[in-house]
């Protein structure tokens, strides 16, 4: 398991999320949402940011080269 330091947009607390190297970005998003749901609930479409890049929902933790205690951010996917 790889511990990631996750932030959900609108939350004031960063959370440690345990991810498997085969988890997709979509799975990691759901793990973070579940962990933070007592404080905040994002109901719209969201995206995962890692190292300033938006990850495709099917990208795995290994493919994104995430390492222990890397920061991830889950933010609303706003159209521009």
């Amino acid at each position: 398991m790889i511990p990631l330091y996750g932030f959900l947009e609108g939350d004031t607390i960063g959370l440690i999320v345990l991810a498997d190297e085969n988890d997709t970005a979509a799975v990691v998003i759901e793990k973070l949402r579940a962990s933070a749901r007592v404080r905040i609930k994002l109901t719209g479409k969201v995206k995962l940011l890692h190292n300033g890049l938006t990850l495709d929902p099917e990208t795995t933790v290994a493919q994104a080269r995430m390492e222990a205690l890397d920061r991830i951010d889950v933010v609303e996917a706003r159209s521009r």
Side-chain angles (χ1 to χ4, degrees):
M1 297 303 275
I2 301 168
L4 301 171
Y5 196 41
F7 288 86
L8 189 66
E9 184 175 33
D11 198 354
T12 57
I13 299 173
L15 299 170
I16 298 295
V17 176
L18 296 177
D20 183 270
E21 65 181 16
N22 295 315
D23 284 350
T24 63
V27 169
V28 174
I29 287 170
E30 289 311 311
K31 287 181 177 185
L32 185 55
R33 278 179 151 172
S35 296
R37 73 174 167 240
V38 296
R39 287 181 309 284
I40 191 157
K41 184 176 180 180
L42 291 179
T43 56
K45 188 174 178 178
V46 296
K47 61 185 178 181
L48 181 76
L49 302 174
H50 175 253
N51 288 335
L53 301 173
T54 300
L55 299 183
D56 181 278
E58 296 305 312
T59 301
T60 66
V61 169
Q63 290 169 330
R65 296 186 173 132
M66 292 182 192
E67 297 179 359
L69 298 179
D70 275 1
R71 180 182 172 140
I72 57 169
D73 292 274
V74 174
V75 298
E76 287 187 44
R78 296 175 180 92
S79 58
R80 292 187 181 193

